[in-house]
Amino acid sequence: MSTLSMLAQYRHSLKGATHLETTQLQLINLDLLKTRYQERWPKVRSRIFDTCEQFIRKRIGPGDALLRANTGFVILPGPDREEPPEQFTARIETELRAFFLGTDYLKELGLEAETVNLAVADLFGKGAPEPRGEKPDGQDATSPRAAGKPAPGPLTFSPFSLSFEPLWASATGYVALHRVRAVGRMDVKGPVVRDHKLCPAEGGGLLRSAFDKALLQKTACTLLACPVPGLAAVAVHFDTLATVKYRLPYMHAFDVIGESVRARLMLLITGMPMDAPAGLITEVTRFARMLTRRIVVDIDQGALRLERFDDAAVDIMSMRAPALSQFERRRTNIGQLNERICRAGRMLAIEGCDQEGQLALAHALRPAYLGGLTVGPETRTLSAPYLLALKLPSRPEREPADCAGFPL
C-alpha cells in the first residue's frame, strides 16, 4: 500500500479531530557504527532497520501505520488505539532501549523518541487523496455538482534537465560540492528558467512538492550513473518539509534511494521565511536531518534573525552576494554574520559572485564556500572533486578528506 493510500484510510476516523499525535523514533550513533563496520556497513544497517521494524510492528496496533525514515521511524496512531500517545511513546522507547542492550550489534545504538502533534488539516486538506470509491463530503453521484462539467485536469510542471553549479571550498581550494538546478522552458519558445519557476504558481504546494520529488529522483539517477565522489546539494522547498501531507510522500521518495547515493546528497532548503517560528524551523531541519546528514538553507542576510536557528539542524547557510555597488556597504554586516555562524559551528556560503569585484570582497570575509561565474559556469555533468586556483590571495592548501566526508 502506498503512503498516500495508507493515509487516506484515516479520513473518516479523524473527522472532527484537530490533530494527530504521532511518535517519532530516531536512531543515533549510526555514523559510529558505520565507521566500525566499514565495508560491512550496508548489510549491518539493513539488518538494524529490519530488526527494529519487526520489533516495533509486534508492539503497535493493527490500525497503526509505521513509516521507515532514513535514520528512524514515524508511527501514526490508528483510530482504535486506546493508549495515550505519551505513554505509547515512552513504552516503545523503553522496550527498544532494553532490546538494544541484549543484542550485540545494537549495543552502541542510541535512540531519541518524542510525541509530535501533526495537524489533521495538513494531513487531509486540499490536495489530500480521497479513499477509493468515496465521494467528497456533501456530494453524491446524482448531485448537480457531480453531474456538471468535469473538473479541469491537474497542473503539471515543464520538463527539465539538470545543471550543476560548482561551490569552491576556501579552506582547501577544491570544488567537491555542486548545487543542483532544474533547467527548462515554460513553453517551446519561452526563455530558459530555473528551479521552482518551472512550476505554475497556481499549482501551489501540491505541485511544488511533486516538483521537489521529481528533482530528487532525477538527481539520484544522475548520481547513480555517475560514480564520482562529489557531493550534490538538491533543493527542496520549505513548504514541502513543513506540511505533513507533502512531507510524508517526499520522505517515501527519499527512502527508496540507495545508501551510496544518499551519502552524496545534501538537502538545500529553499523558500524558508526568515520570520518563521523558531520551533517550525527546528522541526523542519531536524526532519531533513533524518533524510540526509548535511543540511543547507538559503538565507536572506537582510531579513535573517539568526537566533531562530539556535536549535536547528543546519550545516551551511547560503546567501547571494550583494550587487557590487552595495557590497562594500554591507561588508561589515556580512562579516559579523559569518563570525556568528562560525561560532555556532556552521558555515557560510556566498553564491552569485559573478564579477571579480564580488569574488574579491566575498573572499576577504573568509566564508567556507564561494560560488558564481567567477568560480565556474554551471555544467550539465557532475565532475569529481578538483583543485581550482582562483586569482585570490594565497592560503595554505589541504588535501581533501575522503570523498564521503569531504568537504565538511
Side-chain angles (χ1 to χ4, degrees):
M1 182 183 295
S2 69
T3 302
L4 287 178
S5 59
M6 179 186 62
L7 290 177
Q9 68 185 355
Y10 285 80
R11 181 183 297 275
H12 286 307
S13 60
L14 290 176
K15 279 183 179 178
T18 59
H19 65 273
L20 179 66
E21 294 183 295
T22 69
T23 297
Q24 293 186 3
L25 302 169
Q26 183 171 357
L27 305 179
I28 57 179
N29 290 345
L30 290 175
D31 286 343
L32 296 178
L33 291 174
K34 181 177 181 180
T35 302
R36 173 182 172 183
Y37 286 102
Q38 298 182 3
E39 68 275 2
R40 296 169 54 203
W41 171 240
K43 183 178 292 186
V44 173
R45 183 185 188 280
S46 177
R47 186 180 177 190
I48 288 173
F49 274 79
D50 289 346
T51 302
C52 291
E53 182 172 349
Q54 292 173 13
F55 181 90
I56 296 170
R57 285 196 183 280
K58 293 178 180 179
R59 286 156 178 80
I60 62 178
D64 295 343
L66 178 63
L67 306 176
R68 183 187 291 200
N70 189 32
T71 58
F73 300 89
V74 177
I75 305 171
L76 303 179
D80 298 327
R81 186 201 287 176
E82 297 180 356
E83 190 175 13
E86 293 81 5
Q87 182 178 330
F88 171 82
T89 301
R91 175 173 64 84
I92 291 291
E93 180 181 14
T94 300
E95 294 180 3
L96 261 180
R97 288 185 187 276
F99 173 65
F100 289 167
L101 294 176
T103 307
D104 289 341
Y105 64 92
L106 295 179
K107 285 182 178 178
E108 298 177 9
L109 201 63
L111 178 70
E112 290 181 354
E114 61 179 339
T115 302
V116 179
N117 287 338
L118 301 182
V120 171
D122 286 341
L123 279 170
F124 306 113
K126 182 181 178 182
E130 296 285 347
R132 188 172 296 177
E134 178 184 340
K135 299 295 181 182
D137 295 342
Q139 179 181 335
D140 58 32
T142 59
S143 68
R145 182 179 174 188
K149 294 182 179 180
L155 289 168
T156 59
F157 46 81
S158 301
F160 63 86
S161 58
L162 300 182
S163 69
F164 302 91
E165 294 186 359
L167 288 174
W168 183 73
S170 59
T172 64
Y174 274 79
V175 172
L177 171 62
H178 288 77
R179 179 174 181 141
V180 183
R181 289 195 181 279
V183 181
R185 298 177 186 271
M186 294 299 293
D187 55 63
V188 176
K189 297 182 180 179
V192 173
V193 295
R194 287 169 174 76
D195 304 325
H196 286 92
K197 292 180 181 178
L198 288 161
C199 281
E202 58 268 29
L206 183 62
L207 185 62
R208 193 163 48 231
S209 64
F211 180 84
D212 287 333
K213 284 179 57 180
L215 179 59
L216 172 66
Q217 292 163 344
K218 189 180 285 285
T219 301
C221 290
T222 300
L223 290 175
L224 191 62
C226 180
V228 296
L231 297 173
V234 60
V236 56
H237 198 274
F238 180 79
D239 187 49
T240 296
L241 301 182
T243 306
V244 175
K245 66 181 177 183
Y246 308 144
R247 176 194 298 178
L248 295 178
Y250 188 78
M251 178 177 69
H252 177 71
F254 225 105
D255 284 344
V256 300
I257 298 174
E259 178 66 24
S260 61
V261 173
R262 279 202 299 264
R264 295 165 56 194
L265 276 176
M266 294 186 184
L267 275 185
L268 192 159
I269 303 175
T270 65
M272 177 183 291
M274 293 297 100
D275 60 349
L280 181 58
I281 293 175
T282 299
E283 176 192 347
V284 166
T285 56
R286 288 188 176 180
F287 172 78
R289 180 58 60 79
M290 294 173 62
L291 305 178
T292 180
R293 290 187 301 157
R294 304 176 179 94
I295 308 298
V296 189
V297 294
D298 275 338
I299 61 171
D300 178 355
Q301 181 263 332
L304 176 68
R305 293 179 60 181
L306 201 57
E307 64 274 7
R308 294 181 186 270
F309 291 81
D310 285 348
D311 298 320
V314 174
D315 302 290
I316 303 171
M317 309 186 87
S318 180
M319 59 168 286
R320 296 286 300 178
L324 189 57
S325 59
Q326 302 175 6
F327 207 137
E328 189 65 45
R329 178 171 56 85
R330 296 173 59 181
R331 181 177 177 181
T332 300
N333 290 338
I334 297 173
Q336 293 172 346
L337 173 65
N338 189 27
E339 291 176 1
R340 292 178 62 194
I341 288 175
C342 290
R343 284 198 300 269
R346 300 180 177 123
M347 293 174 282
L348 176 67
I350 301 180
E351 301 187 56
C353 297
D354 298 333
Q355 298 176 280
E356 290 187 4
Q358 287 176 304
L359 182 65
L361 289 169
H363 180 265
L365 298 173
R366 307 181 77 83
Y369 293 93
L370 291 169
L373 294 177
T374 51
V375 171
E378 63 183 46
T379 62
R380 292 306 176 96
T381 57
L382 184 63
S383 61
Y386 60 91
L387 182 64
L388 178 63
L390 297 178
K391 297 179 181 178
L392 293 167
S394 60
R395 290 187 185 178
E397 293 178 356
R398 297 199 306 263
E399 290 297 321
D402 62 282
C403 298
F406 182 81
L408 298 182

